[in-house]
Amino acid sequence: MWFRRILLRQVPSTSMDLRHEIRWFATAVGHVEQNLDHFTKVYTTGYSFFDQNGNRIAKYGVFWGPNDPRNAIRTLPGSTNVAATLTAILEVIHMAREEEPPPSLLIYSDLQSTEDLLKNLRDYAKRDFYLRRRDEKMKNAEILQDLFSAVQGLHLKVIFY
């Protein structure tokens, strides 16, 4: 019987060596090893601001590693910092799915308010991303729906710092 389980603590962004933060990675019953090499680490960020004309502009960044061609900074006109951060995470997942097989992902995100959104993604999907009142959709419902669909079958962990 095969299974994978990750036990991670939330770590501050000042952590120098993540190998100490990952306690155990289990790949099979009875075979437990401490191993960070199975994870592809990706860092994401998102922010927004108003330009001189009063228009909201959001940007997000994705960092796979030094000189990696997948590194990106993109603009989302009219979006919020939450939408930008969720879009960054979604882009990482889509890029990972292009690999065969998709790698196990360790995604670092700097937006704390996104943590509850991602933890409860399945519950939100059950009500089709409507608010509890059922009269309107949640903010960023389209991105959340895309995220919910994209993460199915992937082995990933999102850490908020």
Side-chain angles (χ1 to χ4, degrees):
M1 172 176 222
W2 291 90
F3 73 98
R4 290 195 284 187
R5 185 177 73 199
I6 304 172
L7 300 174
L8 296 173
R9 292 193 329 248
Q10 292 218 350
V11 298
S13 61
T14 56
S15 176
M16 297 302 287
D17 188 3
L18 295 174
R19 293 181 193 278
H20 298 292
E21 303 305 327
I22 294 187
R23 291 192 235 158
W24 295 100
F25 176 67
T27 55
V29 174
H31 179 69
V32 178
E33 62 183 349
Q34 191 171 9
N35 193 339
L36 182 59
D37 298 331
H38 284 82
F39 293 93
T40 300
K41 292 179 288 225
V42 185
Y43 300 85
T44 64
T45 189
Y47 60 95
S48 68
F49 58 93
F50 290 95
D51 67 9
Q52 66 273 14
N53 298 325
N55 299 320
R56 181 183 287 267
I57 297 175
K59 291 191 175 215
Y60 67 89
V62 175
F63 181 75
W64 291 81
N67 302 317
D68 192 307
R70 298 172 292 183
N71 294 342
I73 296 175
R74 305 218 194 289
T75 302
L76 295 170
S79 293
T80 64
N81 61 328
V82 174
T85 301
L86 292 172
T87 302
I89 294 170
L90 184 60
E91 182 172 317
V92 167
I93 293 168
H94 284 308
M95 287 180 164
R97 284 208 173 272
E98 292 175 3
E99 297 180 32
E100 194 56 47
S104 296
L105 293 172
L106 192 55
I107 302 173
Y108 291 88
S109 175
D110 63 348
L111 186 63
Q112 297 292 327
S113 63
T114 316
E115 184 173 9
D116 288 335
L117 284 174
L118 296 180
K119 276 185 185 175
N120 300 314
L121 202 54
R122 180 171 293 166
D123 294 334
Y124 298 141
K126 286 179 185 175
R127 52 179 205 252
D128 198 26
F129 298 96
Y130 274 90
L131 297 172
R132 291 197 191 278
R133 298 184 309 268
R134 295 283 216 190
D135 57 346
E136 62 181 288
K137 291 260 188 180
M138 299 173 65
K139 289 182 181 177
N140 305 307
E142 296 81 22
I143 300 170
L144 291 169
Q145 177 65 53
D146 291 345
L147 259 174
F148 179 73
S149 299
V151 300
Q152 301 304 310
L154 273 186
H155 184 226
L156 68 97
K157 174 75 177 171
V158 180
I159 296 179
F160 300 92
Y161 58 91

